[in-house]
Structure formats: C-alpha cells, structure tokens
Amino acid sequence: QVQLVESGGGLVQPGGSLTLSCAAPGFTFSMYVMRWYRQAPGKEREWVASITGGSIVGASTRYADVVNGRFTISRDNAKNTVYLRMNSLIPEDTAVYYCNAIRSDYRSPNYWGQGTQVTVSS
C-alpha cells in the first residue's frame, strides 16, 4: 500500500524559508513520479512541483511558474523521501501542501498524503 506522510510545515515570516518532507514507505519509490501540490483556503488544489522517478541521477524536475526559482524539489530514493525546499516565501504561498505520487507511466491512481500546513505571515 502506498503511504505518504508530509512533515515540516509551520509558520514562517515573509522572505523566510521552509523545507517540507514527504516520507513514502511501502512501495517501489523510485518507480514513481513525486509531486507537491498545495491548496489555499477557498481555492482549488494546484500543482507546485514534480520530480521524475527512476534513478536519482536521472531525475528531472518541473515547477509551476509561481514558484519557479524559489522552490526546489528533490528526492532520496534510498530513504523513500521527497523534499520541497521553499525559499523567499510570500503570503500567497500560504496553503496546505500535499505530497502526491503516481507511477512514471501514469498508469496508477494518484496517491495523496494528508497535507502539512504552511503559513507565511508577518
């Protein structure tokens, strides 16, 4: 069974940084594309970043325009963990951040964690 558990959220001042973690035990982690999504109050869930499965050396990343240059997604396949490093945070980044997993061939359901709250406020 695919399990995703996010951690690392919290309250941070504008301009600050935060690193989220998503532990993903219980499946062949390297075979899955990992993604971060976020959902602000009253808004639709939006995609933030993704990193391909496979070997760590061959992993590639992609970012939503609104976070590109500020956020960095990475993974450690040996630890079955994906990270989201968030720099230069702004209030608009306030949301519940969700970890998502899908097989690299996209022939699986989307698996979701429970989310971790990130609040950017002075």
Side-chain angles (χ1 to χ4, degrees):
Q1 182 70 19
V2 173
Q3 295 177 307
L4 305 174
V5 182
E6 303 95 333
S7 62
L11 176 63
V12 64
Q13 298 290 318
S17 298
L18 208 58
T19 299
L20 308 181
S21 299
C22 173
F27 69 105
T28 307
F29 180 74
S30 63
M31 294 177 62
Y32 283 74
V33 175
M34 302 300 297
R35 302 155 160 175
W36 286 98
Y37 285 77
R38 67 186 185 186
Q39 188 167 24
K43 304 281 288 185
E44 294 288 328
R45 188 172 297 186
E46 65 175 345
W47 167 75
V48 173
S50 62
I51 184 166
T52 60
S55 69
I56 186 66
V57 174
S60 61
T61 59
R62 188 182 299 172
Y63 301 92
D65 288 343
V66 292
V67 306
N68 192 38
R70 299 188 296 120
F71 290 11
T72 302
I73 188 171
S74 61
R75 68 193 297 160
D76 186 338
N77 287 345
K79 296 180 178 179
N80 276 30
T81 302
V82 63
Y83 306 93
L84 185 68
R85 181 182 179 182
M86 305 182 293
N87 296 324
S88 303
L89 286 161
I90 58 177
E92 289 77 12
D93 295 320
T94 296
V96 177
Y97 283 71
Y98 296 92
C99 185
N100 167 274
I102 189 168
R103 275 189 17 165
S104 297
D105 60 5
Y106 291 86
R107 294 177 61 84
S108 81
N110 279 285
Y111 299 98
W112 298 93
Q114 291 299 303
T116 185
Q117 176 71 49
V118 173
T119 302
V120 185
S121 180
S122 58

